[in-house]
Amino acid sequence: MKKRFISGIVATAILIPTAAFAAPPLIEILTRTSMTTEQIKSDEVGNAALEKLYSAFPETKSFEMVNASTVQDVQTSIMLREKGGTGKTITLHMNSVSGTIEHVIQENWEPKGKPLMALTDQEIKAKVDDLINRMYGPIEDYEFAMESMDNPDQKTWMLNYSKKGASEPFYQVFVHGNTISASRIGGEAAPSNAEVEGFFTTNGKPDYFADAFLNDAKLFALLGMSATVLKEELAKGNSVVEVAASKNVSKQQVIDVIAQTQVDAQIQGEHHGDAPTGKTSNEQMLKAVEPKVLHVIEHKNEAPMKK
């Protein structure tokens, strides 16, 4: 597995202040609004997520809710902490439209004297397996890869769980310190001839966030260019919107194509085991993903690449 972050509608860019890694630089943080415990419990998505958590980890029924919020009807987040000052917390981030639990973050569930990173590789994998099994379902049929990340600040492991034949992981997990940060990111295989990495760069290095949005065969057909040519145009400092304009393609046409692809992938993912908590129309799902698409297609590389 390549050392990169995989993204899409289920791995939103609005990641989460408490996550193991900050949101990719090319995405600005959208407005986050606090929610009360009562609001979460009366919210269909929030209440369903709590019920799922309580079923998976019964001990969390006694935890107190220390933080809850929503991001512009795109993402709903809940953080619960064990009473008594132990620091044991669990955080859930849900797609506000589909109800899918996109991210689960366990912090300080191991004794301070023997944190996660003090365990063997096999023991770490067992902890991650248990979290995924409880929150998402059996993973016996998934292929597995584990590798150390190039993180100078602290030792970090990345674990990928992929469906057989898929080019990208279905679950991606980061383990560092005493934290497990797991994401359900889809992982449907993309056509190999349409996959290009690092459409944008940050600090001189590839920023992979936009790849899942821009590796879209329908987008390439709309623009009348290959993925490689689009990457070359972006490397010159152009945005996708500007590239489209040069082809007499409107911003809305680009949004519509990418958003529909992302929604189609979300629906396909639900058919593979993540059923939505309520009936959601195609139009509602498109509206939810459009802000993310807009950020990607309006973004420009930090500076044109030098020849």
Side-chain angles (χ1 to χ4, degrees):
M1 287 293 173
K2 301 178 179 66
K3 296 181 180 180
R4 55 174 174 151
F5 295 94
I6 311 297
S7 307
I9 186 173
V10 293
T12 66
I14 333 168
L15 286 177
I16 333 196
T18 54
F21 293 86
L26 71 86
I27 299 297
E28 298 175 3
I29 302 300
L30 302 182
T31 303
R32 183 174 289 277
T33 304
S34 297
M35 299 178 71
T36 64
T37 300
E38 291 71 24
Q39 287 175 320
I40 283 292
K41 290 183 176 180
S42 63
D43 177 75
E44 183 179 13
V45 169
N47 186 63
L50 283 176
E51 291 301 318
K52 173 67 175 178
L53 176 64
Y54 294 156
S55 176
F57 295 97
E59 65 267 38
T60 59
K61 292 181 180 179
S62 64
F63 284 23
E64 59 182 338
M65 193 177 301
V66 295
N67 194 10
S69 61
T70 183
V71 179
Q72 295 184 3
D73 297 321
V74 174
Q75 185 185 73
T76 302
S77 302
I78 306 171
M79 175 187 285
L80 295 93
R81 179 175 295 141
E82 185 179 34
K83 297 178 182 179
T86 64
K88 188 176 181 179
T89 66
I90 190 161
T91 305
L92 306 179
H93 301 281
M94 294 78 67
N95 184 305
S96 298
V97 178
S98 69
T100 302
I101 297 176
E102 300 171 337
H103 311 281
V104 182
I105 304 171
Q106 275 187 337
E107 297 177 271
N108 302 318
W109 282 56
E110 300 300 312
K112 291 184 178 179
K114 193 176 182 182
L116 281 165
M117 298 311 291
L119 303 179
T120 65
D121 294 359
Q122 292 76 13
E123 289 172 327
I124 290 175
K125 181 181 183 298
K127 297 290 183 181
V128 174
D129 286 353
D130 182 63
L131 175 60
I132 295 177
N133 273 311
R134 293 193 191 210
M135 293 302 301
Y136 294 106
I139 55 174
E140 286 83 359
D141 295 332
Y142 287 77
E143 297 177 336
F144 167 78
M146 180 176 181
E147 60 183 303
S148 178
M149 293 288 292
D150 297 327
N151 184 1
D153 297 324
Q154 59 182 320
K155 184 178 180 181
T156 302
W157 287 103
M158 179 175 71
L159 296 84
N160 286 317
Y161 296 78
S162 304
K163 291 184 175 181
K164 292 182 179 180
S167 61
E168 297 177 354
F170 199 89
Y171 301 107
Q172 189 170 69
V173 185
F174 294 94
V175 179
H176 69 109
N178 212 6
T179 298
I180 299 175
S181 180
S183 297
R184 192 281 199 195
I185 57 177
E188 295 303 321
S192 59
N193 62 353
E195 187 170 323
V196 168
E197 293 188 327
F199 281 97
F200 293 113
T201 60
T202 298
N203 297 324
K205 297 180 180 179
D207 182 343
Y208 295 108
F209 175 78
D211 289 5
F213 290 90
L214 299 184
N215 273 314
D216 186 331
K218 293 181 180 178
L219 173 64
F220 305 143
L222 179 67
L223 299 179
M225 62 176 59
S226 67
T228 301
V229 173
L230 176 58
K231 181 177 178 179
E232 292 172 352
E233 289 299 315
L234 298 178
K236 297 175 184 178
N238 299 315
S239 67
V240 176
V241 172
E242 290 173 336
V243 173
S246 71
K247 299 288 185 177
N248 295 317
V249 175
S250 70
K251 178 192 295 187
Q252 192 59 51
Q253 285 177 292
V254 174
I255 292 174
D256 291 345
V257 165
I258 298 177
Q260 189 61 63
T261 296
Q262 294 292 313
V263 168
D264 290 344
Q266 173 73 5
I267 293 173
Q268 188 175 16
E270 290 167 357
H271 290 166
H272 282 82
D274 263 349
T277 58
K279 293 182 179 179
T280 305
S281 69
N282 184 76
E283 289 71 22
Q284 288 174 306
M285 296 178 76
L286 288 171
K287 182 179 179 181
V289 75
E290 281 185 3
K292 306 172 203 175
V293 175
L294 187 61
H295 278 289
V296 170
I297 66 175
E298 289 185 335
H299 179 70
K300 294 184 179 183
N301 270 306
E302 52 196 352
M305 294 177 63
K306 296 181 179 180
K307 295 183 179 181

mmCIF file of all heavy atoms in Angstrom, residues 199 213-231 233-234 239-255 257-258 297:
data_model
loop_
_atom_site.group_PDB
_atom_site.id
_atom_site.type_symbol
_atom_site.label_atom_id
_atom_site.label_comp_id
_atom_site.label_asym_id
_atom_site.label_seq_id
_atom_site.Cartn_x
_atom_site.Cartn_y
_atom_site.Cartn_z
ATOM 1 N N PHE A 199 -2.509 15.283 -7.620
ATOM 2 C CA PHE A 199 -2.896 16.376 -8.517
ATOM 3 C C PHE A 199 -2.426 17.723 -7.972
ATOM 4 O O PHE A 199 -2.133 18.651 -8.725
ATOM 5 C CB PHE A 199 -4.418 16.413 -8.701
ATOM 6 C CG PHE A 199 -4.943 15.400 -9.679
ATOM 7 C CD1 PHE A 199 -5.450 14.188 -9.237
ATOM 8 C CD2 PHE A 199 -4.924 15.655 -11.043
ATOM 9 C CE1 PHE A 199 -5.948 13.251 -10.139
ATOM 10 C CE2 PHE A 199 -5.415 14.726 -11.953
ATOM 11 C CZ PHE A 199 -5.924 13.517 -11.498
ATOM 12 N N PHE A 213 -11.446 12.775 -5.794
ATOM 13 C CA PHE A 213 -12.433 13.586 -6.494
ATOM 14 C C PHE A 213 -12.085 13.737 -7.974
ATOM 15 O O PHE A 213 -12.969 13.713 -8.835
ATOM 16 C CB PHE A 213 -12.524 14.982 -5.858
ATOM 17 C CG PHE A 213 -13.155 15.005 -4.502
ATOM 18 C CD1 PHE A 213 -12.388 14.850 -3.363
ATOM 19 C CD2 PHE A 213 -14.517 15.187 -4.361
ATOM 20 C CE1 PHE A 213 -12.972 14.877 -2.108
ATOM 21 C CE2 PHE A 213 -15.115 15.223 -3.113
ATOM 22 C CZ PHE A 213 -14.335 15.064 -1.981
ATOM 23 N N LEU A 214 -10.810 13.911 -8.259
ATOM 24 C CA LEU A 214 -10.403 14.243 -9.628
ATOM 25 C C LEU A 214 -10.115 13.027 -10.491
ATOM 26 O O LEU A 214 -10.101 13.138 -11.714
ATOM 27 C CB LEU A 214 -9.182 15.171 -9.587
ATOM 28 C CG LEU A 214 -9.420 16.509 -8.871
ATOM 29 C CD1 LEU A 214 -8.174 17.392 -8.975
ATOM 30 C CD2 LEU A 214 -10.635 17.240 -9.425
ATOM 31 N N ASN A 215 -9.869 11.873 -9.885
ATOM 32 C CA ASN A 215 -9.717 10.645 -10.678
ATOM 33 C C ASN A 215 -11.103 10.159 -11.087
ATOM 34 O O ASN A 215 -11.635 9.188 -10.546
ATOM 35 C CB ASN A 215 -8.979 9.570 -9.869
ATOM 36 C CG ASN A 215 -7.480 9.691 -10.002
ATOM 37 O OD1 ASN A 215 -6.966 9.849 -11.104
ATOM 38 N ND2 ASN A 215 -6.776 9.648 -8.880
ATOM 39 N N ASP A 216 -11.681 10.854 -12.035
ATOM 40 C CA ASP A 216 -13.066 10.626 -12.436
ATOM 41 C C ASP A 216 -13.118 10.579 -13.965
ATOM 42 O O ASP A 216 -12.896 11.590 -14.643
ATOM 43 C CB ASP A 216 -13.940 11.763 -11.903
ATOM 44 C CG ASP A 216 -15.424 11.551 -12.132
ATOM 45 O OD1 ASP A 216 -15.790 10.888 -13.113
ATOM 46 O OD2 ASP A 216 -16.220 12.078 -11.332
ATOM 47 N N ALA A 217 -13.406 9.409 -14.502
ATOM 48 C CA ALA A 217 -13.415 9.238 -15.953
ATOM 49 C C ALA A 217 -14.406 10.184 -16.636
ATOM 50 O O ALA A 217 -14.151 10.681 -17.736
ATOM 51 C CB ALA A 217 -13.756 7.784 -16.296
ATOM 52 N N LYS A 218 -15.533 10.446 -15.974
ATOM 53 C CA LYS A 218 -16.530 11.345 -16.551
ATOM 54 C C LYS A 218 -16.021 12.784 -16.584
ATOM 55 O O LYS A 218 -16.333 13.545 -17.501
ATOM 56 C CB LYS A 218 -17.838 11.259 -15.768
ATOM 57 C CG LYS A 218 -18.529 9.903 -15.907
ATOM 58 C CD LYS A 218 -19.834 9.867 -15.134
ATOM 59 C CE LYS A 218 -20.522 8.515 -15.276
ATOM 60 N NZ LYS A 218 -21.776 8.439 -14.493
ATOM 61 N N LEU A 219 -15.227 13.159 -15.585
ATOM 62 C CA LEU A 219 -14.617 14.494 -15.583
ATOM 63 C C LEU A 219 -13.641 14.629 -16.740
ATOM 64 O O LEU A 219 -13.641 15.650 -17.447
ATOM 65 C CB LEU A 219 -13.895 14.737 -14.260
ATOM 66 C CG LEU A 219 -13.060 16.021 -14.181
ATOM 67 C CD1 LEU A 219 -13.951 17.258 -14.299
ATOM 68 C CD2 LEU A 219 -12.245 16.055 -12.886
ATOM 69 N N PHE A 220 -12.804 13.609 -16.943
ATOM 70 C CA PHE A 220 -11.833 13.665 -18.034
ATOM 71 C C PHE A 220 -12.544 13.757 -19.384
ATOM 72 O O PHE A 220 -12.107 14.473 -20.285
ATOM 73 C CB PHE A 220 -10.917 12.437 -17.993
ATOM 74 C CG PHE A 220 -10.216 12.243 -16.681
ATOM 75 C CD1 PHE A 220 -9.998 10.977 -16.163
ATOM 76 C CD2 PHE A 220 -9.775 13.343 -15.948
ATOM 77 C CE1 PHE A 220 -9.356 10.806 -14.953
ATOM 78 C CE2 PHE A 220 -9.128 13.182 -14.728
ATOM 79 C CZ PHE A 220 -8.926 11.911 -14.227
ATOM 80 N N ALA A 221 -13.664 13.035 -19.516
ATOM 81 C CA ALA A 221 -14.424 13.089 -20.767
ATOM 82 C C ALA A 221 -15.029 14.475 -20.966
ATOM 83 O O ALA A 221 -15.032 15.014 -22.079
ATOM 84 C CB ALA A 221 -15.523 12.034 -20.746
ATOM 85 N N LEU A 222 -15.505 15.065 -19.881
ATOM 86 C CA LEU A 222 -16.094 16.404 -19.953
ATOM 87 C C LEU A 222 -15.060 17.438 -20.385
ATOM 88 O O LEU A 222 -15.346 18.328 -21.197
ATOM 89 C CB LEU A 222 -16.676 16.786 -18.589
ATOM 90 C CG LEU A 222 -17.310 18.174 -18.466
ATOM 91 C CD1 LEU A 222 -18.570 18.266 -19.306
ATOM 92 C CD2 LEU A 222 -17.621 18.483 -16.997
ATOM 93 N N LEU A 223 -13.852 17.300 -19.854
ATOM 94 C CA LEU A 223 -12.784 18.259 -20.163
ATOM 95 C C LEU A 223 -12.060 17.916 -21.462
ATOM 96 O O LEU A 223 -11.299 18.748 -21.987
ATOM 97 C CB LEU A 223 -11.770 18.304 -19.019
ATOM 98 C CG LEU A 223 -12.300 18.752 -17.650
ATOM 99 C CD1 LEU A 223 -11.183 18.715 -16.619
ATOM 100 C CD2 LEU A 223 -12.900 20.149 -17.732
ATOM 101 N N GLY A 224 -12.268 16.711 -21.949
ATOM 102 C CA GLY A 224 -11.593 16.302 -23.170
ATOM 103 C C GLY A 224 -10.095 16.163 -23.003
ATOM 104 O O GLY A 224 -9.315 16.506 -23.894
ATOM 105 N N MET A 225 -9.673 15.648 -21.835
ATOM 106 C CA MET A 225 -8.242 15.456 -21.581
ATOM 107 C C MET A 225 -8.049 14.283 -20.637
ATOM 108 O O MET A 225 -8.981 13.861 -19.950
ATOM 109 C CB MET A 225 -7.627 16.729 -20.977
ATOM 110 C CG MET A 225 -8.207 17.134 -19.621
ATOM 111 S SD MET A 225 -7.372 18.583 -18.890
ATOM 112 C CE MET A 225 -7.643 19.826 -20.146
ATOM 113 N N SER A 226 -6.846 13.777 -20.611
ATOM 114 C CA SER A 226 -6.528 12.651 -19.739
ATOM 115 C C SER A 226 -6.203 13.153 -18.336
ATOM 116 O O SER A 226 -6.004 14.351 -18.104
ATOM 117 C CB SER A 226 -5.318 11.888 -20.282
ATOM 118 O OG SER A 226 -4.149 12.703 -20.206
ATOM 119 N N ALA A 227 -6.114 12.223 -17.395
ATOM 120 C CA ALA A 227 -5.745 12.573 -16.025
ATOM 121 C C ALA A 227 -4.350 13.192 -15.983
ATOM 122 O O ALA A 227 -4.094 14.149 -15.247
ATOM 123 C CB ALA A 227 -5.804 11.324 -15.150
ATOM 124 N N THR A 228 -3.451 12.654 -16.791
ATOM 125 C CA THR A 228 -2.074 13.171 -16.804
ATOM 126 C C THR A 228 -2.023 14.613 -17.300
ATOM 127 O O THR A 228 -1.315 15.452 -16.726
ATOM 128 C CB THR A 228 -1.187 12.281 -17.701
ATOM 129 O OG1 THR A 228 -1.208 10.942 -17.196
ATOM 130 C CG2 THR A 228 0.241 12.796 -17.729
ATOM 131 N N VAL A 229 -2.775 14.913 -18.341
ATOM 132 C CA VAL A 229 -2.797 16.281 -18.870
ATOM 133 C C VAL A 229 -3.420 17.237 -17.848
ATOM 134 O O VAL A 229 -2.937 18.358 -17.659
ATOM 135 C CB VAL A 229 -3.575 16.342 -20.198
ATOM 136 C CG1 VAL A 229 -3.754 17.785 -20.658
ATOM 137 C CG2 VAL A 229 -2.842 15.535 -21.263
ATOM 138 N N LEU A 230 -4.488 16.799 -17.167
ATOM 139 C CA LEU A 230 -5.103 17.645 -16.141
ATOM 140 C C LEU A 230 -4.095 17.947 -15.039
ATOM 141 O O LEU A 230 -3.978 19.095 -14.596
ATOM 142 C CB LEU A 230 -6.334 16.961 -15.548
ATOM 143 C CG LEU A 230 -7.013 17.710 -14.388
ATOM 144 C CD1 LEU A 230 -7.444 19.100 -14.799
ATOM 145 C CD2 LEU A 230 -8.199 16.910 -13.850
ATOM 146 N N LYS A 231 -3.351 16.950 -14.610
ATOM 147 C CA LYS A 231 -2.338 17.167 -13.579
ATOM 148 C C LYS A 231 -1.296 18.172 -14.048
ATOM 149 O O LYS A 231 -0.853 19.037 -13.272
ATOM 150 C CB LYS A 231 -1.679 15.839 -13.200
ATOM 151 C CG LYS A 231 -0.619 15.975 -12.111
ATOM 152 C CD LYS A 231 -0.048 14.628 -11.730
ATOM 153 C CE LYS A 231 1.042 14.786 -10.663
ATOM 154 N NZ LYS A 231 1.601 13.476 -10.251
ATOM 155 N N GLU A 233 -1.741 20.606 -16.154
ATOM 156 C CA GLU A 233 -2.351 21.938 -16.135
ATOM 157 C C GLU A 233 -2.428 22.491 -14.715
ATOM 158 O O GLU A 233 -2.186 23.685 -14.493
ATOM 159 C CB GLU A 233 -3.762 21.868 -16.743
ATOM 160 C CG GLU A 233 -3.779 21.633 -18.243
ATOM 161 C CD GLU A 233 -3.083 22.756 -19.001
ATOM 162 O OE1 GLU A 233 -3.335 23.939 -18.674
ATOM 163 O OE2 GLU A 233 -2.275 22.458 -19.904
ATOM 164 N N LEU A 234 -2.742 21.647 -13.763
ATOM 165 C CA LEU A 234 -2.808 22.088 -12.368
ATOM 166 C C LEU A 234 -1.423 22.455 -11.847
ATOM 167 O O LEU A 234 -1.271 23.361 -11.026
ATOM 168 C CB LEU A 234 -3.427 20.987 -11.498
ATOM 169 C CG LEU A 234 -4.864 20.581 -11.836
ATOM 170 C CD1 LEU A 234 -5.338 19.443 -10.930
ATOM 171 C CD2 LEU A 234 -5.808 21.770 -11.719
ATOM 172 N N SER A 239 -6.481 26.319 -11.559
ATOM 173 C CA SER A 239 -7.457 25.523 -10.832
ATOM 174 C C SER A 239 -8.223 24.667 -11.836
ATOM 175 O O SER A 239 -8.174 24.915 -13.046
ATOM 176 C CB SER A 239 -8.439 26.424 -10.081
ATOM 177 O OG SER A 239 -9.241 27.147 -11.010
ATOM 178 N N VAL A 240 -8.952 23.688 -11.341
ATOM 179 C CA VAL A 240 -9.771 22.860 -12.226
ATOM 180 C C VAL A 240 -10.818 23.731 -12.916
ATOM 181 O O VAL A 240 -11.123 23.546 -14.104
ATOM 182 C CB VAL A 240 -10.452 21.722 -11.444
ATOM 183 C CG1 VAL A 240 -11.392 20.926 -12.353
ATOM 184 C CG2 VAL A 240 -9.415 20.800 -10.824
ATOM 185 N N VAL A 241 -11.350 24.699 -12.184
ATOM 186 C CA VAL A 241 -12.350 25.612 -12.752
ATOM 187 C C VAL A 241 -11.761 26.377 -13.935
ATOM 188 O O VAL A 241 -12.410 26.531 -14.982
ATOM 189 C CB VAL A 241 -12.860 26.594 -11.683
ATOM 190 C CG1 VAL A 241 -13.741 27.669 -12.318
ATOM 191 C CG2 VAL A 241 -13.647 25.851 -10.608
ATOM 192 N N GLU A 242 -10.522 26.846 -13.794
ATOM 193 C CA GLU A 242 -9.879 27.603 -14.875
ATOM 194 C C GLU A 242 -9.573 26.693 -16.069
ATOM 195 O O GLU A 242 -9.720 27.115 -17.218
ATOM 196 C CB GLU A 242 -8.605 28.255 -14.343
ATOM 197 C CG GLU A 242 -8.885 29.391 -13.360
ATOM 198 C CD GLU A 242 -7.627 29.920 -12.708
ATOM 199 O OE1 GLU A 242 -6.620 29.165 -12.632
ATOM 200 O OE2 GLU A 242 -7.640 31.078 -12.262
ATOM 201 N N VAL A 243 -9.153 25.474 -15.780
ATOM 202 C CA VAL A 243 -8.901 24.524 -16.862
ATOM 203 C C VAL A 243 -10.198 24.254 -17.618
ATOM 204 O O VAL A 243 -10.230 24.227 -18.856
ATOM 205 C CB VAL A 243 -8.318 23.210 -16.322
ATOM 206 C CG1 VAL A 243 -8.211 22.164 -17.438
ATOM 207 C CG2 VAL A 243 -6.951 23.446 -15.680
ATOM 208 N N ALA A 244 -11.283 24.084 -16.869
ATOM 209 C CA ALA A 244 -12.586 23.834 -17.487
ATOM 210 C C ALA A 244 -13.021 25.011 -18.347
ATOM 211 O O ALA A 244 -13.523 24.830 -19.468
ATOM 212 C CB ALA A 244 -13.628 23.547 -16.408
ATOM 213 N N ALA A 245 -12.818 26.224 -17.840
ATOM 214 C CA ALA A 245 -13.215 27.424 -18.585
ATOM 215 C C ALA A 245 -12.495 27.500 -19.927
ATOM 216 O O ALA A 245 -13.068 27.931 -20.932
ATOM 217 C CB ALA A 245 -12.943 28.669 -17.751
ATOM 218 N N SER A 246 -11.241 27.064 -19.935
ATOM 219 C CA SER A 246 -10.473 27.088 -21.192
ATOM 220 C C SER A 246 -11.040 26.101 -22.214
ATOM 221 O O SER A 246 -10.745 26.190 -23.401
ATOM 222 C CB SER A 246 -9.002 26.760 -20.913
ATOM 223 O OG SER A 246 -8.828 25.399 -20.566
ATOM 224 N N LYS A 247 -11.859 25.168 -21.713
ATOM 225 C CA LYS A 247 -12.498 24.175 -22.582
ATOM 226 C C LYS A 247 -13.978 24.482 -22.786
ATOM 227 O O LYS A 247 -14.738 23.638 -23.274
ATOM 228 C CB LYS A 247 -12.351 22.771 -21.968
ATOM 229 C CG LYS A 247 -10.904 22.308 -21.793
ATOM 230 C CD LYS A 247 -10.271 21.981 -23.120
ATOM 231 C CE LYS A 247 -8.875 21.398 -22.940
ATOM 232 N NZ LYS A 247 -8.270 21.006 -24.241
ATOM 233 N N ASN A 248 -14.365 25.702 -22.371
ATOM 234 C CA ASN A 248 -15.767 26.126 -22.471
ATOM 235 C C ASN A 248 -16.701 25.231 -21.656
ATOM 236 O O ASN A 248 -17.839 24.959 -22.046
ATOM 237 C CB ASN A 248 -16.228 26.166 -23.935
ATOM 238 C CG ASN A 248 -15.495 27.217 -24.752
ATOM 239 O OD1 ASN A 248 -15.286 28.346 -24.278
ATOM 240 N ND2 ASN A 248 -15.088 26.851 -25.946
ATOM 241 N N VAL A 249 -16.196 24.783 -20.529
ATOM 242 C CA VAL A 249 -16.985 23.978 -19.594
ATOM 243 C C VAL A 249 -17.212 24.811 -18.338
ATOM 244 O O VAL A 249 -16.268 25.381 -17.786
ATOM 245 C CB VAL A 249 -16.249 22.668 -19.231
ATOM 246 C CG1 VAL A 249 -17.020 21.898 -18.157
ATOM 247 C CG2 VAL A 249 -16.051 21.810 -20.472
ATOM 248 N N SER A 250 -18.436 24.891 -17.875
ATOM 249 C CA SER A 250 -18.761 25.736 -16.729
ATOM 250 C C SER A 250 -18.388 25.073 -15.405
ATOM 251 O O SER A 250 -18.236 23.844 -15.321
ATOM 252 C CB SER A 250 -20.257 26.051 -16.707
ATOM 253 O OG SER A 250 -21.019 24.895 -16.375
ATOM 254 N N LYS A 251 -18.267 25.900 -14.365
ATOM 255 C CA LYS A 251 -17.991 25.394 -13.023
ATOM 256 C C LYS A 251 -19.090 24.428 -12.576
ATOM 257 O O LYS A 251 -18.801 23.379 -12.003
ATOM 258 C CB LYS A 251 -17.896 26.551 -12.028
ATOM 259 C CG LYS A 251 -17.648 26.110 -10.587
ATOM 260 C CD LYS A 251 -17.852 27.225 -9.585
ATOM 261 C CE LYS A 251 -16.863 28.335 -9.747
ATOM 262 N NZ LYS A 251 -16.970 29.342 -8.647
ATOM 263 N N GLN A 252 -20.336 24.772 -12.855
ATOM 264 C CA GLN A 252 -21.443 23.927 -12.416
ATOM 265 C C GLN A 252 -21.415 22.564 -13.098
ATOM 266 O O GLN A 252 -21.738 21.548 -12.480
ATOM 267 C CB GLN A 252 -22.786 24.611 -12.690
ATOM 268 C CG GLN A 252 -23.967 23.924 -11.997
ATOM 269 C CD GLN A 252 -23.798 23.864 -10.487
ATOM 270 O OE1 GLN A 252 -23.521 24.884 -9.845
ATOM 271 N NE2 GLN A 252 -23.946 22.677 -9.906
ATOM 272 N N GLN A 253 -21.010 22.534 -14.351
ATOM 273 C CA GLN A 253 -20.898 21.239 -15.045
ATOM 274 C C GLN A 253 -19.871 20.348 -14.358
ATOM 275 O O GLN A 253 -20.078 19.149 -14.196
ATOM 276 C CB GLN A 253 -20.512 21.464 -16.509
ATOM 277 C CG GLN A 253 -21.626 21.977 -17.400
ATOM 278 C CD GLN A 253 -21.135 22.240 -18.814
ATOM 279 O OE1 GLN A 253 -20.341 23.153 -19.052
ATOM 280 N NE2 GLN A 253 -21.598 21.420 -19.763
ATOM 281 N N VAL A 254 -18.758 20.952 -13.965
ATOM 282 C CA VAL A 254 -17.710 20.188 -13.275
ATOM 283 C C VAL A 254 -18.223 19.686 -11.932
ATOM 284 O O VAL A 254 -18.033 18.517 -11.573
ATOM 285 C CB VAL A 254 -16.453 21.061 -13.073
ATOM 286 C CG1 VAL A 254 -15.422 20.315 -12.222
ATOM 287 C CG2 VAL A 254 -15.850 21.444 -14.413
ATOM 288 N N ILE A 255 -18.885 20.566 -11.181
ATOM 289 C CA ILE A 255 -19.430 20.172 -9.880
ATOM 290 C C ILE A 255 -20.407 19.016 -10.033
ATOM 291 O O ILE A 255 -20.353 18.024 -9.296
ATOM 292 C CB ILE A 255 -20.135 21.366 -9.203
ATOM 293 C CG1 ILE A 255 -19.111 22.434 -8.810
ATOM 294 C CG2 ILE A 255 -20.927 20.913 -7.980
ATOM 295 C CD1 ILE A 255 -19.735 23.712 -8.277
ATOM 296 N N VAL A 257 -20.724 16.732 -12.352
ATOM 297 C CA VAL A 257 -20.111 15.452 -12.737
ATOM 298 C C VAL A 257 -19.411 14.804 -11.549
ATOM 299 O O VAL A 257 -19.622 13.616 -11.249
ATOM 300 C CB VAL A 257 -19.113 15.663 -13.898
ATOM 301 C CG1 VAL A 257 -18.208 14.439 -14.053
ATOM 302 C CG2 VAL A 257 -19.861 15.900 -15.199
ATOM 303 N N ILE A 258 -18.563 15.564 -10.847
ATOM 304 C CA ILE A 258 -17.802 14.990 -9.732
ATOM 305 C C ILE A 258 -18.725 14.598 -8.585
ATOM 306 O O ILE A 258 -18.584 13.522 -7.990
ATOM 307 C CB ILE A 258 -16.728 15.980 -9.244
ATOM 308 C CG1 ILE A 258 -15.729 16.282 -10.364
ATOM 309 C CG2 ILE A 258 -15.996 15.407 -8.028
ATOM 310 C CD1 ILE A 258 -14.682 17.311 -9.994
ATOM 311 N N ILE A 297 -12.068 21.966 -6.671
ATOM 312 C CA ILE A 297 -11.933 22.472 -8.041
ATOM 313 C C ILE A 297 -11.521 23.942 -8.094
ATOM 314 O O ILE A 297 -11.064 24.415 -9.132
ATOM 315 C CB ILE A 297 -13.224 22.249 -8.854
ATOM 316 C CG1 ILE A 297 -14.381 23.087 -8.309
ATOM 317 C CG2 ILE A 297 -13.575 20.775 -8.892
ATOM 318 C CD1 ILE A 297 -15.645 22.991 -9.144
#
